[in-house]
Amino acid sequence: MTAPAERRSAGPATVRPAPAESSGGTGEAAAGRLGAGVWTALVVVYVVWGSTYLAIRIAVETMPSFLSAAARFLTAGLLLVGFVAVRHGRAGLRVDLRQLGSAALVGLLLLTGGNGLVVLGETSVPSGLAALLVAAVPLWMVLLTAAGGERPKRAELAGVLLGLVGLAVLSAPAIGGSIAPAGVVAIICATLTWASGSFASKRIRMPGNVFASSAYQMLAGGLGNLLIGLARGEERGLRPGDVSTRSWLALAFLVVFGSLVAFTAYAWLLRSAPLTLVATYAYVNPVVAVLLGWLVLAEPLTGPTLLGGAVVVAGVCLVVSGSRGSGRPWARRSARRSAQESAQG
């Protein structure tokens, strides 16, 4: 899991928004005119974010859950602060108290409640199953949007219902006792928290620099994970020498590639590609995660996993297809913001 679309992006705009997005057309026509850079960035987001579930599973083999998440996000947050300071100077990090509070709230929801609970869940749940459960985030977003007064389309509602059926199928092994129910519950709660953070980030005043905003979110989320880990007593008996080399490498991968490289690619895609194309990561990541878990960790591809995963992905596809185009209010707002930022260059 990673940071959602921010209210604004930072830095000079090198690529103008696709005309189909800003003018109300469908995303597909614009996607056909996009260059190699967009497709390269998409592959990075597809593969790297899909592989983070595997990396988390390997990290928690010998690392405590919340403390490993704290190390990941505190390290990545500090590195991102340094990047912004070098690129934009102190002005790039300047925020008011309201913006700082908003970033901290979103960081706690996304990276402590969301990612932290995923890490906890993966101590007992296979990485592929965790990714399939997390794929339900867009379904909760539809329900939160509806609660906010925006009427969902029929395709979105159908996608939510279909996705809930898929979640029930995925949860069957936990009900049957073959997988720890607590792990499945933790990950489902993580999806609700992540969706709440994503929903909030679009409606509260966030820092204008997308990288600075993410840095503050990572630092807040990392501190939240640290406090929970200490409250759980995860530091007791913890010795760095007991952590395996592969767990250290997995944590380094999560910091560098999961939290920095992939997010940078995602932030750039938000400015350079149709939103509906960028949103496809939500149903590509689980497929990548399931395949990697099977190939690297020999995680079994059970009937409930394959069937439930296919149903969840189909539901997410319906939600994304139902939201495409500028008919949605959030799509019109996003297109206007992108056009204004590109014009300001």
Side-chain angles (χ1 to χ4, degrees):
M1 299 174 95
T2 186
E6 301 292 343
R7 296 180 68 89
R8 285 184 248 168
S9 297
T14 57
V15 182
R16 300 273 177 185
E21 275 296 300
S22 58
S23 61
T26 62
E28 295 83 354
R33 295 192 295 272
L34 296 175
V38 167
W39 298 111
T40 300
L42 273 174
V43 170
V44 169
V45 172
Y46 287 166
V47 175
V48 174
W49 277 357
S51 63
T52 55
Y53 297 94
L54 173 66
I56 289 171
R57 180 69 171 169
I58 294 174
V60 297
E61 288 177 345
T62 57
M63 288 182 175
S65 53
F66 281 99
L67 289 186
S68 68
R72 171 188 176 181
F73 292 116
L74 288 174
T75 303
L78 291 173
L79 289 173
L80 203 51
V81 165
F83 169 78
V84 174
V86 169
R87 184 177 179 184
H88 301 287
R90 295 178 60 182
L93 295 169
R94 190 172 296 124
V95 294
D96 59 35
L97 286 178
R98 181 179 176 185
Q99 290 173 320
L100 183 62
S102 297
L105 172 63
V106 172
L108 289 171
L109 288 171
L110 293 176
L111 305 179
T112 302
N115 194 277
L117 287 174
V118 168
V119 176
L120 178 65
E122 283 204 48
T123 58
S124 59
V125 173
S127 62
L129 176 57
L132 291 170
L133 291 169
V134 171
V137 167
L139 311 180
W140 306 135
M141 286 295 295
V142 171
L143 298 180
L144 287 171
T145 301
E150 185 176 325
R151 185 176 180 180
K153 293 183 177 181
R154 291 182 179 179
E156 292 174 312
L157 290 176
V160 169
L161 294 176
L162 189 60
L164 292 177
V165 171
L167 285 178
V169 175
L170 287 173
S171 303
I175 297 173
S178 59
I179 293 178
V184 173
V185 171
I187 294 174
I188 291 177
C189 289
T191 64
L192 292 168
T193 308
W194 183 273
S196 299
S198 301
F199 182 79
S201 71
K202 296 177 182 298
R203 286 159 176 79
I204 58 179
R205 186 166 171 257
M206 301 288 287
N209 186 313
V210 67
F211 297 107
S213 178
S214 288
Y216 292 131
Q217 289 177 47
M218 289 181 188
L219 292 175
L223 287 173
N225 281 311
L226 177 62
L227 292 175
I228 293 177
L230 294 176
R232 284 166 46 87
E234 292 184 353
E235 81 285 359
R236 295 171 191 161
L238 175 63
R239 293 183 300 179
D242 294 335
V243 178
S244 67
T245 300
R246 66 191 243 140
S247 288
W248 282 119
L249 291 174
L251 181 63
F253 176 88
L254 289 169
V255 170
V256 176
F257 293 97
S259 296
L260 295 176
V261 174
F263 172 75
T264 301
Y266 180 69
W268 182 79
L269 280 171
L270 290 174
R271 299 179 58 86
S272 309
L275 294 175
T276 50
L277 180 64
V278 179
T280 57
Y281 86 89
Y283 48 86
V284 176
N285 284 172
V287 177
V288 173
V290 169
L291 289 176
L292 288 176
W294 173 64
L295 288 171
V296 179
L297 299 179
E299 294 178 350
L301 297 179
T302 64
T305 298
L306 293 174
L307 176 60
V311 174
V312 168
V313 170
V316 174
C317 288
L318 272 177
V319 168
V320 172
S321 64
S323 300
R324 68 176 66 247
S326 61
R328 308 291 291 169
W330 63 264
R332 289 196 299 269
R333 289 194 297 269
S334 297
R336 282 198 298 267
R337 282 199 303 270
S338 296
Q340 291 167 355
E341 289 158 7
S342 292
Q344 292 166 356

PDB file of all heavy atoms in Angstrom, residues 253-287:
ATOM      1  N   PHE A 253      14.378  -2.951   0.391  1.00  0.00           N
ATOM      2  CA  PHE A 253      13.565  -2.881  -0.828  1.00  0.00           C
ATOM      3  C   PHE A 253      12.312  -2.046  -0.583  1.00  0.00           C
ATOM      4  O   PHE A 253      11.928  -1.215  -1.424  1.00  0.00           O
ATOM      5  CB  PHE A 253      13.178  -4.293  -1.275  1.00  0.00           C
ATOM      6  CG  PHE A 253      12.260  -4.327  -2.463  1.00  0.00           C
ATOM      7  CD1 PHE A 253      12.762  -4.321  -3.758  1.00  0.00           C
ATOM      8  CD2 PHE A 253      10.882  -4.368  -2.293  1.00  0.00           C
ATOM      9  CE1 PHE A 253      11.916  -4.335  -4.856  1.00  0.00           C
ATOM     10  CE2 PHE A 253      10.021  -4.385  -3.384  1.00  0.00           C
ATOM     11  CZ  PHE A 253      10.548  -4.375  -4.674  1.00  0.00           C
ATOM     12  N   LEU A 254      11.671  -2.249   0.560  1.00  0.00           N
ATOM     13  CA  LEU A 254      10.452  -1.503   0.877  1.00  0.00           C
ATOM     14  C   LEU A 254      10.743  -0.006   0.999  1.00  0.00           C
ATOM     15  O   LEU A 254       9.938   0.827   0.558  1.00  0.00           O
ATOM     16  CB  LEU A 254       9.842  -2.032   2.175  1.00  0.00           C
ATOM     17  CG  LEU A 254       9.205  -3.416   2.094  1.00  0.00           C
ATOM     18  CD1 LEU A 254       8.890  -3.936   3.493  1.00  0.00           C
ATOM     19  CD2 LEU A 254       7.940  -3.381   1.250  1.00  0.00           C
ATOM     20  N   VAL A 255      11.884   0.340   1.598  1.00  0.00           N
ATOM     21  CA  VAL A 255      12.225   1.751   1.772  1.00  0.00           C
ATOM     22  C   VAL A 255      12.526   2.407   0.427  1.00  0.00           C
ATOM     23  O   VAL A 255      11.949   3.445   0.074  1.00  0.00           O
ATOM     24  CB  VAL A 255      13.442   1.902   2.718  1.00  0.00           C
ATOM     25  CG1 VAL A 255      13.949   3.344   2.699  1.00  0.00           C
ATOM     26  CG2 VAL A 255      13.063   1.502   4.141  1.00  0.00           C
ATOM     27  N   VAL A 256      13.435   1.789  -0.323  1.00  0.00           N
ATOM     28  CA  VAL A 256      13.934   2.428  -1.544  1.00  0.00           C
ATOM     29  C   VAL A 256      12.926   2.331  -2.684  1.00  0.00           C
ATOM     30  O   VAL A 256      12.570   3.331  -3.317  1.00  0.00           O
ATOM     31  CB  VAL A 256      15.283   1.809  -1.963  1.00  0.00           C
ATOM     32  CG1 VAL A 256      15.753   2.402  -3.292  1.00  0.00           C
ATOM     33  CG2 VAL A 256      16.324   2.031  -0.881  1.00  0.00           C
ATOM     34  N   PHE A 257      12.474   1.121  -2.947  1.00  0.00           N
ATOM     35  CA  PHE A 257      11.612   0.921  -4.114  1.00  0.00           C
ATOM     36  C   PHE A 257      10.128   1.099  -3.781  1.00  0.00           C
ATOM     37  O   PHE A 257       9.402   1.785  -4.506  1.00  0.00           O
ATOM     38  CB  PHE A 257      11.865  -0.466  -4.717  1.00  0.00           C
ATOM     39  CG  PHE A 257      13.227  -0.618  -5.306  1.00  0.00           C
ATOM     40  CD1 PHE A 257      14.243  -1.205  -4.588  1.00  0.00           C
ATOM     41  CD2 PHE A 257      13.500  -0.138  -6.582  1.00  0.00           C
ATOM     42  CE1 PHE A 257      15.519  -1.333  -5.120  1.00  0.00           C
ATOM     43  CE2 PHE A 257      14.760  -0.257  -7.130  1.00  0.00           C
ATOM     44  CZ  PHE A 257      15.782  -0.856  -6.391  1.00  0.00           C
ATOM     45  N   GLY A 258       9.665   0.511  -2.675  1.00  0.00           N
ATOM     46  CA  GLY A 258       8.245   0.615  -2.354  1.00  0.00           C
ATOM     47  C   GLY A 258       7.806   2.010  -1.965  1.00  0.00           C
ATOM     48  O   GLY A 258       6.744   2.476  -2.384  1.00  0.00           O
ATOM     49  N   SER A 259       8.639   2.712  -1.143  1.00  0.00           N
ATOM     50  CA  SER A 259       8.228   4.003  -0.607  1.00  0.00           C
ATOM     51  C   SER A 259       8.797   5.201  -1.355  1.00  0.00           C
ATOM     52  O   SER A 259       8.318   6.306  -1.183  1.00  0.00           O
ATOM     53  CB  SER A 259       8.621   4.103   0.875  1.00  0.00           C
ATOM     54  OG  SER A 259       7.931   3.151   1.635  1.00  0.00           O
ATOM     55  N   LEU A 260       9.833   5.019  -2.153  1.00  0.00           N
ATOM     56  CA  LEU A 260      10.443   6.156  -2.845  1.00  0.00           C
ATOM     57  C   LEU A 260      10.297   6.051  -4.362  1.00  0.00           C
ATOM     58  O   LEU A 260       9.681   6.910  -4.988  1.00  0.00           O
ATOM     59  CB  LEU A 260      11.923   6.277  -2.457  1.00  0.00           C
ATOM     60  CG  LEU A 260      12.194   6.612  -0.978  1.00  0.00           C
ATOM     61  CD1 LEU A 260      13.689   6.604  -0.699  1.00  0.00           C
ATOM     62  CD2 LEU A 260      11.593   7.963  -0.619  1.00  0.00           C
ATOM     63  N   VAL A 261      10.837   5.016  -4.963  1.00  0.00           N
ATOM     64  CA  VAL A 261      10.817   4.908  -6.422  1.00  0.00           C
ATOM     65  C   VAL A 261       9.390   4.787  -6.949  1.00  0.00           C
ATOM     66  O   VAL A 261       8.970   5.536  -7.838  1.00  0.00           O
ATOM     67  CB  VAL A 261      11.666   3.707  -6.883  1.00  0.00           C
ATOM     68  CG1 VAL A 261      11.529   3.500  -8.383  1.00  0.00           C
ATOM     69  CG2 VAL A 261      13.126   3.922  -6.510  1.00  0.00           C
ATOM     70  N   ALA A 262       8.630   3.834  -6.414  1.00  0.00           N
ATOM     71  CA  ALA A 262       7.276   3.608  -6.934  1.00  0.00           C
ATOM     72  C   ALA A 262       6.384   4.810  -6.681  1.00  0.00           C
ATOM     73  O   ALA A 262       5.562   5.181  -7.529  1.00  0.00           O
ATOM     74  CB  ALA A 262       6.668   2.352  -6.320  1.00  0.00           C
ATOM     75  N   PHE A 263       6.534   5.436  -5.501  1.00  0.00           N
ATOM     76  CA  PHE A 263       5.693   6.598  -5.248  1.00  0.00           C
ATOM     77  C   PHE A 263       6.027   7.743  -6.194  1.00  0.00           C
ATOM     78  O   PHE A 263       5.133   8.444  -6.675  1.00  0.00           O
ATOM     79  CB  PHE A 263       5.827   7.094  -3.813  1.00  0.00           C
ATOM     80  CG  PHE A 263       5.117   8.397  -3.617  1.00  0.00           C
ATOM     81  CD1 PHE A 263       3.741   8.436  -3.528  1.00  0.00           C
ATOM     82  CD2 PHE A 263       5.805   9.588  -3.599  1.00  0.00           C
ATOM     83  CE1 PHE A 263       3.071   9.642  -3.412  1.00  0.00           C
ATOM     84  CE2 PHE A 263       5.150  10.793  -3.488  1.00  0.00           C
ATOM     85  CZ  PHE A 263       3.777  10.817  -3.380  1.00  0.00           C
ATOM     86  N   THR A 264       7.322   7.945  -6.468  1.00  0.00           N
ATOM     87  CA  THR A 264       7.705   8.995  -7.407  1.00  0.00           C
ATOM     88  C   THR A 264       7.086   8.740  -8.782  1.00  0.00           C
ATOM     89  O   THR A 264       6.573   9.653  -9.431  1.00  0.00           O
ATOM     90  CB  THR A 264       9.236   9.063  -7.534  1.00  0.00           C
ATOM     91  OG1 THR A 264       9.801   9.324  -6.238  1.00  0.00           O
ATOM     92  CG2 THR A 264       9.652  10.179  -8.482  1.00  0.00           C
ATOM     93  N   ALA A 265       7.130   7.478  -9.218  1.00  0.00           N
ATOM     94  CA  ALA A 265       6.511   7.124 -10.495  1.00  0.00           C
ATOM     95  C   ALA A 265       5.011   7.379 -10.459  1.00  0.00           C
ATOM     96  O   ALA A 265       4.421   7.895 -11.414  1.00  0.00           O
ATOM     97  CB  ALA A 265       6.792   5.656 -10.820  1.00  0.00           C
ATOM     98  N   TYR A 266       4.381   7.054  -9.331  1.00  0.00           N
ATOM     99  CA  TYR A 266       2.933   7.249  -9.187  1.00  0.00           C
ATOM    100  C   TYR A 266       2.576   8.735  -9.202  1.00  0.00           C
ATOM    101  O   TYR A 266       1.629   9.156  -9.880  1.00  0.00           O
ATOM    102  CB  TYR A 266       2.480   6.607  -7.884  1.00  0.00           C
ATOM    103  CG  TYR A 266       0.996   6.729  -7.597  1.00  0.00           C
ATOM    104  CD1 TYR A 266       0.064   6.039  -8.363  1.00  0.00           C
ATOM    105  CD2 TYR A 266       0.537   7.519  -6.557  1.00  0.00           C
ATOM    106  CE1 TYR A 266      -1.291   6.134  -8.094  1.00  0.00           C
ATOM    107  CE2 TYR A 266      -0.812   7.616  -6.279  1.00  0.00           C
ATOM    108  CZ  TYR A 266      -1.717   6.922  -7.051  1.00  0.00           C
ATOM    109  OH  TYR A 266      -3.058   7.031  -6.781  1.00  0.00           O
ATOM    110  N   ALA A 267       3.364   9.535  -8.467  1.00  0.00           N
ATOM    111  CA  ALA A 267       3.103  10.982  -8.431  1.00  0.00           C
ATOM    112  C   ALA A 267       3.244  11.586  -9.819  1.00  0.00           C
ATOM    113  O   ALA A 267       2.457  12.456 -10.212  1.00  0.00           O
ATOM    114  CB  ALA A 267       4.061  11.659  -7.447  1.00  0.00           C
ATOM    115  N   TRP A 268       4.232  11.122 -10.583  1.00  0.00           N
ATOM    116  CA  TRP A 268       4.414  11.626 -11.940  1.00  0.00           C
ATOM    117  C   TRP A 268       3.267  11.180 -12.841  1.00  0.00           C
ATOM    118  O   TRP A 268       2.782  11.943 -13.681  1.00  0.00           O
ATOM    119  CB  TRP A 268       5.756  11.135 -12.488  1.00  0.00           C
ATOM    120  CG  TRP A 268       6.056  11.641 -13.862  1.00  0.00           C
ATOM    121  CD1 TRP A 268       6.525  12.879 -14.200  1.00  0.00           C
ATOM    122  CD2 TRP A 268       5.884  10.937 -15.103  1.00  0.00           C
ATOM    123  NE1 TRP A 268       6.663  12.991 -15.569  1.00  0.00           N
ATOM    124  CE2 TRP A 268       6.279  11.809 -16.150  1.00  0.00           C
ATOM    125  CE3 TRP A 268       5.447   9.656 -15.429  1.00  0.00           C
ATOM    126  CZ2 TRP A 268       6.238  11.424 -17.488  1.00  0.00           C
ATOM    127  CZ3 TRP A 268       5.410   9.280 -16.759  1.00  0.00           C
ATOM    128  CH2 TRP A 268       5.805  10.158 -17.767  1.00  0.00           C
ATOM    129  N   LEU A 269       2.806   9.960 -12.662  1.00  0.00           N
ATOM    130  CA  LEU A 269       1.690   9.463 -13.474  1.00  0.00           C
ATOM    131  C   LEU A 269       0.425  10.276 -13.243  1.00  0.00           C
ATOM    132  O   LEU A 269      -0.367  10.489 -14.168  1.00  0.00           O
ATOM    133  CB  LEU A 269       1.417   7.990 -13.148  1.00  0.00           C
ATOM    134  CG  LEU A 269       2.333   6.960 -13.795  1.00  0.00           C
ATOM    135  CD1 LEU A 269       2.087   5.576 -13.201  1.00  0.00           C
ATOM    136  CD2 LEU A 269       2.116   6.925 -15.306  1.00  0.00           C
ATOM    137  N   LEU A 270       0.215  10.726 -12.023  1.00  0.00           N
ATOM    138  CA  LEU A 270      -0.984  11.508 -11.727  1.00  0.00           C
ATOM    139  C   LEU A 270      -1.034  12.785 -12.555  1.00  0.00           C
ATOM    140  O   LEU A 270      -2.107  13.312 -12.838  1.00  0.00           O
ATOM    141  CB  LEU A 270      -1.038  11.852 -10.236  1.00  0.00           C
ATOM    142  CG  LEU A 270      -1.316  10.683  -9.294  1.00  0.00           C
ATOM    143  CD1 LEU A 270      -1.197  11.140  -7.846  1.00  0.00           C
ATOM    144  CD2 LEU A 270      -2.680  10.076  -9.557  1.00  0.00           C
ATOM    145  N   ARG A 271       0.138  13.284 -12.949  1.00  0.00           N
ATOM    146  CA  ARG A 271       0.202  14.493 -13.762  1.00  0.00           C
ATOM    147  C   ARG A 271       0.226  14.193 -15.247  1.00  0.00           C
ATOM    148  O   ARG A 271      -0.091  15.047 -16.060  1.00  0.00           O
ATOM    149  CB  ARG A 271       1.465  15.296 -13.407  1.00  0.00           C
ATOM    150  CG  ARG A 271       1.523  15.763 -11.964  1.00  0.00           C
ATOM    151  CD  ARG A 271       2.813  16.516 -11.703  1.00  0.00           C
ATOM    152  NE  ARG A 271       2.955  17.661 -12.576  1.00  0.00           N
ATOM    153  CZ  ARG A 271       2.447  18.863 -12.320  1.00  0.00           C
ATOM    154  NH1 ARG A 271       1.766  19.058 -11.211  1.00  0.00           N
ATOM    155  NH2 ARG A 271       2.618  19.848 -13.168  1.00  0.00           N
ATOM    156  N   SER A 272       0.632  12.974 -15.627  1.00  0.00           N
ATOM    157  CA  SER A 272       0.976  12.710 -17.012  1.00  0.00           C
ATOM    158  C   SER A 272       0.068  11.719 -17.722  1.00  0.00           C
ATOM    159  O   SER A 272       0.194  11.559 -18.939  1.00  0.00           O
ATOM    160  CB  SER A 272       2.423  12.182 -17.086  1.00  0.00           C
ATOM    161  OG  SER A 272       3.292  13.027 -16.381  1.00  0.00           O
ATOM    162  N   ALA A 273      -0.809  11.048 -17.018  1.00  0.00           N
ATOM    163  CA  ALA A 273      -1.625   9.999 -17.620  1.00  0.00           C
ATOM    164  C   ALA A 273      -3.073  10.145 -17.174  1.00  0.00           C
ATOM    165  O   ALA A 273      -3.354  10.758 -16.143  1.00  0.00           O
ATOM    166  CB  ALA A 273      -1.079   8.623 -17.232  1.00  0.00           C
ATOM    167  N   PRO A 274      -4.015   9.590 -17.943  1.00  0.00           N
ATOM    168  CA  PRO A 274      -5.421   9.615 -17.530  1.00  0.00           C
ATOM    169  C   PRO A 274      -5.600   8.930 -16.182  1.00  0.00           C
ATOM    170  O   PRO A 274      -4.988   7.886 -15.913  1.00  0.00           O
ATOM    171  CB  PRO A 274      -6.130   8.830 -18.648  1.00  0.00           C
ATOM    172  CG  PRO A 274      -5.211   8.917 -19.819  1.00  0.00           C
ATOM    173  CD  PRO A 274      -3.830   8.941 -19.258  1.00  0.00           C
ATOM    174  N   LEU A 275      -6.432   9.500 -15.337  1.00  0.00           N
ATOM    175  CA  LEU A 275      -6.643   8.938 -14.004  1.00  0.00           C
ATOM    176  C   LEU A 275      -7.144   7.501 -14.070  1.00  0.00           C
ATOM    177  O   LEU A 275      -6.801   6.668 -13.227  1.00  0.00           O
ATOM    178  CB  LEU A 275      -7.635   9.807 -13.230  1.00  0.00           C
ATOM    179  CG  LEU A 275      -7.161  11.220 -12.893  1.00  0.00           C
ATOM    180  CD1 LEU A 275      -8.292  12.004 -12.245  1.00  0.00           C
ATOM    181  CD2 LEU A 275      -5.949  11.186 -11.993  1.00  0.00           C
ATOM    182  N   THR A 276      -7.985   7.210 -15.060  1.00  0.00           N
ATOM    183  CA  THR A 276      -8.521   5.857 -15.153  1.00  0.00           C
ATOM    184  C   THR A 276      -7.434   4.852 -15.507  1.00  0.00           C
ATOM    185  O   THR A 276      -7.514   3.685 -15.116  1.00  0.00           O
ATOM    186  CB  THR A 276      -9.643   5.790 -16.209  1.00  0.00           C
ATOM    187  OG1 THR A 276      -9.176   6.392 -17.421  1.00  0.00           O
ATOM    188  CG2 THR A 276     -10.876   6.532 -15.721  1.00  0.00           C
ATOM    189  N   LEU A 277      -6.419   5.285 -16.242  1.00  0.00           N
ATOM    190  CA  LEU A 277      -5.304   4.392 -16.546  1.00  0.00           C
ATOM    191  C   LEU A 277      -4.452   4.174 -15.303  1.00  0.00           C
ATOM    192  O   LEU A 277      -4.049   3.043 -14.998  1.00  0.00           O
ATOM    193  CB  LEU A 277      -4.449   4.985 -17.671  1.00  0.00           C
ATOM    194  CG  LEU A 277      -3.229   4.160 -18.097  1.00  0.00           C
ATOM    195  CD1 LEU A 277      -3.662   2.824 -18.693  1.00  0.00           C
ATOM    196  CD2 LEU A 277      -2.387   4.938 -19.105  1.00  0.00           C
ATOM    197  N   VAL A 278      -4.189   5.231 -14.566  1.00  0.00           N
ATOM    198  CA  VAL A 278      -3.400   5.108 -13.343  1.00  0.00           C
ATOM    199  C   VAL A 278      -4.100   4.193 -12.340  1.00  0.00           C
ATOM    200  O   VAL A 278      -3.464   3.394 -11.650  1.00  0.00           O
ATOM    201  CB  VAL A 278      -3.155   6.493 -12.715  1.00  0.00           C
ATOM    202  CG1 VAL A 278      -2.344   6.365 -11.430  1.00  0.00           C
ATOM    203  CG2 VAL A 278      -2.427   7.397 -13.697  1.00  0.00           C
ATOM    204  N   ALA A 279      -5.423   4.276 -12.279  1.00  0.00           N
ATOM    205  CA  ALA A 279      -6.189   3.482 -11.314  1.00  0.00           C
ATOM    206  C   ALA A 279      -6.112   1.988 -11.565  1.00  0.00           C
ATOM    207  O   ALA A 279      -6.468   1.199 -10.685  1.00  0.00           O
ATOM    208  CB  ALA A 279      -7.659   3.928 -11.328  1.00  0.00           C
ATOM    209  N   THR A 280      -5.626   1.568 -12.725  1.00  0.00           N
ATOM    210  CA  THR A 280      -5.560   0.138 -13.008  1.00  0.00           C
ATOM    211  C   THR A 280      -4.585  -0.592 -12.090  1.00  0.00           C
ATOM    212  O   THR A 280      -4.637  -1.823 -11.993  1.00  0.00           O
ATOM    213  CB  THR A 280      -5.155  -0.116 -14.473  1.00  0.00           C
ATOM    214  OG1 THR A 280      -3.900   0.522 -14.740  1.00  0.00           O
ATOM    215  CG2 THR A 280      -6.208   0.434 -15.429  1.00  0.00           C
ATOM    216  N   TYR A 281      -3.701   0.145 -11.400  1.00  0.00           N
ATOM    217  CA  TYR A 281      -2.789  -0.533 -10.470  1.00  0.00           C
ATOM    218  C   TYR A 281      -3.564  -1.302  -9.400  1.00  0.00           C
ATOM    219  O   TYR A 281      -3.082  -2.299  -8.858  1.00  0.00           O
ATOM    220  CB  TYR A 281      -1.838   0.475  -9.814  1.00  0.00           C
ATOM    221  CG  TYR A 281      -2.384   1.151  -8.582  1.00  0.00           C
ATOM    222  CD1 TYR A 281      -2.210   0.602  -7.325  1.00  0.00           C
ATOM    223  CD2 TYR A 281      -3.095   2.349  -8.676  1.00  0.00           C
ATOM    224  CE1 TYR A 281      -2.733   1.214  -6.198  1.00  0.00           C
ATOM    225  CE2 TYR A 281      -3.612   2.962  -7.571  1.00  0.00           C
ATOM    226  CZ  TYR A 281      -3.425   2.395  -6.313  1.00  0.00           C
ATOM    227  OH  TYR A 281      -3.949   2.997  -5.210  1.00  0.00           O
ATOM    228  N   ALA A 282      -4.788  -0.844  -9.094  1.00  0.00           N
ATOM    229  CA  ALA A 282      -5.568  -1.454  -8.023  1.00  0.00           C
ATOM    230  C   ALA A 282      -5.919  -2.906  -8.316  1.00  0.00           C
ATOM    231  O   ALA A 282      -6.131  -3.692  -7.386  1.00  0.00           O
ATOM    232  CB  ALA A 282      -6.856  -0.649  -7.787  1.00  0.00           C
ATOM    233  N   TYR A 283      -6.013  -3.266  -9.586  1.00  0.00           N
ATOM    234  CA  TYR A 283      -6.300  -4.671  -9.861  1.00  0.00           C
ATOM    235  C   TYR A 283      -5.169  -5.398 -10.572  1.00  0.00           C
ATOM    236  O   TYR A 283      -5.274  -6.589 -10.841  1.00  0.00           O
ATOM    237  CB  TYR A 283      -7.616  -4.842 -10.629  1.00  0.00           C
ATOM    238  CG  TYR A 283      -7.844  -3.976 -11.833  1.00  0.00           C
ATOM    239  CD1 TYR A 283      -7.371  -4.330 -13.090  1.00  0.00           C
ATOM    240  CD2 TYR A 283      -8.578  -2.800 -11.705  1.00  0.00           C
ATOM    241  CE1 TYR A 283      -7.615  -3.534 -14.194  1.00  0.00           C
ATOM    242  CE2 TYR A 283      -8.813  -2.001 -12.808  1.00  0.00           C
ATOM    243  CZ  TYR A 283      -8.330  -2.375 -14.045  1.00  0.00           C
ATOM    244  OH  TYR A 283      -8.559  -1.590 -15.144  1.00  0.00           O
ATOM    245  N   VAL A 284      -4.071  -4.714 -10.851  1.00  0.00           N
ATOM    246  CA  VAL A 284      -2.881  -5.399 -11.364  1.00  0.00           C
ATOM    247  C   VAL A 284      -1.981  -5.836 -10.209  1.00  0.00           C
ATOM    248  O   VAL A 284      -1.426  -6.947 -10.226  1.00  0.00           O
ATOM    249  CB  VAL A 284      -2.107  -4.503 -12.343  1.00  0.00           C
ATOM    250  CG1 VAL A 284      -0.817  -5.183 -12.788  1.00  0.00           C
ATOM    251  CG2 VAL A 284      -2.965  -4.160 -13.554  1.00  0.00           C
ATOM    252  N   ASN A 285      -1.848  -4.989  -9.180  1.00  0.00           N
ATOM    253  CA  ASN A 285      -0.991  -5.326  -8.043  1.00  0.00           C
ATOM    254  C   ASN A 285      -1.324  -6.679  -7.409  1.00  0.00           C
ATOM    255  O   ASN A 285      -0.407  -7.472  -7.128  1.00  0.00           O
ATOM    256  CB  ASN A 285      -1.081  -4.237  -6.963  1.00  0.00           C
ATOM    257  CG  ASN A 285      -0.310  -2.982  -7.318  1.00  0.00           C
ATOM    258  OD1 ASN A 285      -0.415  -1.976  -6.625  1.00  0.00           O
ATOM    259  ND2 ASN A 285       0.450  -3.009  -8.388  1.00  0.00           N
ATOM    260  N   PRO A 286      -2.600  -6.999  -7.157  1.00  0.00           N
ATOM    261  CA  PRO A 286      -2.889  -8.301  -6.547  1.00  0.00           C
ATOM    262  C   PRO A 286      -2.451  -9.488  -7.404  1.00  0.00           C
ATOM    263  O   PRO A 286      -1.988 -10.497  -6.876  1.00  0.00           O
ATOM    264  CB  PRO A 286      -4.418  -8.285  -6.384  1.00  0.00           C
ATOM    265  CG  PRO A 286      -4.782  -6.858  -6.367  1.00  0.00           C
ATOM    266  CD  PRO A 286      -3.824  -6.177  -7.290  1.00  0.00           C
ATOM    267  N   VAL A 287      -2.587  -9.358  -8.712  1.00  0.00           N
ATOM    268  CA  VAL A 287      -2.161 -10.442  -9.596  1.00  0.00           C
ATOM    269  C   VAL A 287      -0.656 -10.655  -9.486  1.00  0.00           C
ATOM    270  O   VAL A 287      -0.172 -11.792  -9.378  1.00  0.00           O
ATOM    271  CB  VAL A 287      -2.571 -10.137 -11.051  1.00  0.00           C
ATOM    272  CG1 VAL A 287      -2.064 -11.225 -11.991  1.00  0.00           C
ATOM    273  CG2 VAL A 287      -4.090 -10.003 -11.160  1.00  0.00           C
TER     274      VAL A 287
END
